Amino acid sequence: MPAELSVGRAEESDAPGVGVVAPFDFALDRELWRWAPEDVSLYLTRLPFFTTPVTVEMAVAVADRRAVRRATRDVLTPRPGVVTFACTSGSFVSGVTGEAVLTRTMCEAGAPVATTTSGALVEALHLLGVRRLAIATPYIQPVTDRLVTFLADSGVETVASEGLGLLGNIWRVGYEQVVDIVRAVDRPEADALFISCTNLPTYDIVEPLEQALGKPVITANQVTMWASLRALGRYAVGGGALLGVPLPLPVA
């Protein structure tokens, strides 16, 4: 007979988790987990389903305050230390004011700290000293144009932009196609590159792209997790110049 196994009581982790409010079609849960330290849990919830393709109208609908408030309350049950709105277009489509409203909505719903993908992007660009940016997106042009406006209103100039023109199934885009569009959009005057959309896979190509292009490459899921973990006093796990930005000093 096999020797008796001694099963001890698992110790509960004191590390706070990250609550994630994601669009209904978000398909890259595993990629978000890859950015997280092993002792930090992610608590994901989805916003309501609707049939609109990936247009400006869809981005506006994803950011509906009532839906975001409800999703935030749902994800608070396991007591995360921060709640993030993990959608790039939904957090930039209504401009700087719209992003601020999203953050305030999550805080009013009970989030101890709230972040958004686009708000995190602006914070990251400022900390890295980026003033001129090249952007690669999977979107149609009107959505990409909203991102350019959001960045301009945040003090960042877009020197070039390229979009794949997709109206759906963005998560099916492979690394090779992402690399191709990033190489196509890069310009010598760009201080950095941004790959937009949390449904676009990028985890394994950040460092190779930075080495090839010689400048920071920021991606939507990377910056989303970077900001969320930064709010917890933690570093994200992965590659890229952004992850080397020191954590803020604790308040005395």
Side-chain angles (χ1 to χ4, degrees):
M1 293 180 65
E4 183 179 353
L5 297 177
S6 175
V7 181
R9 181 178 180 275
E11 294 294 331
E12 293 184 1
S13 172
D14 291 330
V18 176
V20 180
V21 175
F24 67 91
D25 63 343
F26 181 68
L28 300 184
D29 302 53
R30 177 57 188 157
E31 177 156 309
L32 290 187
W33 276 98
R34 294 181 74 186
W35 290 107
E38 289 187 1
D39 63 335
V40 175
S41 292
L42 305 186
Y43 312 120
L44 282 89
T45 191
R46 296 301 201 278
L47 292 159
F49 170 81
F50 47 87
T51 58
T52 308
V54 183
T55 59
V56 168
E57 290 74 23
M58 176 181 174
V60 171
V62 164
D64 176 76
R65 291 188 67 188
R66 291 170 295 180
V68 171
R69 185 182 299 111
R70 186 179 305 114
T72 300
R73 289 173 176 166
D74 289 345
V75 85
L76 287 175
T77 302
R79 298 182 180 178
V82 58
V83 176
T84 186
F85 181 82
C87 178
T88 324
S89 61
S91 53
F92 69 61
V93 69
S94 297
V96 173
T97 299
E99 192 280 330
V101 168
L102 272 176
T103 302
R104 186 170 67 248
T105 297
M106 290 187 287
C107 288
E108 290 174 349
V113 181
T115 65
T116 72
T117 301
S118 296
L121 171 62
V122 170
E123 180 184 9
L125 294 175
H126 289 166
L127 287 174
L128 289 171
V130 173
R131 295 180 178 274
R132 295 173 298 277
L133 187 68
I135 58 176
T137 86
Y139 313 130
I140 59 174
Q141 193 60 47
V143 181
T144 299
D145 289 345
R146 291 289 184 106
L147 175 55
V148 172
T149 300
F150 174 82
L151 290 167
D153 291 343
S154 301
V156 179
E157 176 189 357
T158 299
V159 298
S161 65
E162 291 281 347
L164 294 174
L166 300 180
L167 290 170
N169 298 325
I170 291 172
W171 65 88
R172 295 180 178 174
V173 175
Y175 281 160
E176 183 176 355
Q177 193 172 4
V178 177
V179 169
D180 286 346
I181 192 172
V182 169
R183 288 183 176 277
V185 80
D186 184 32
R187 298 291 185 276
E189 62 269 28
D191 301 322
L193 289 106
F194 174 57
I195 306 173
S196 191
C197 191
T198 54
N199 237 353
L200 203 61
T202 57
Y203 187 89
D204 294 304
I205 60 175
V206 175
E207 279 192 321
L209 280 172
E210 288 194 344
Q211 292 171 6
L213 303 177
K215 62 187 66 174
V217 173
I218 302 167
T219 79
N221 282 329
Q222 175 206 44
V223 79
T224 298
M225 291 303 299
W226 167 82
S228 300
L229 292 163
R230 183 177 174 84
L232 301 178
R234 302 295 300 275
Y235 286 100
V237 177
L242 177 60
L243 272 58
V245 174
L247 292 172
L249 294 174
V251 178

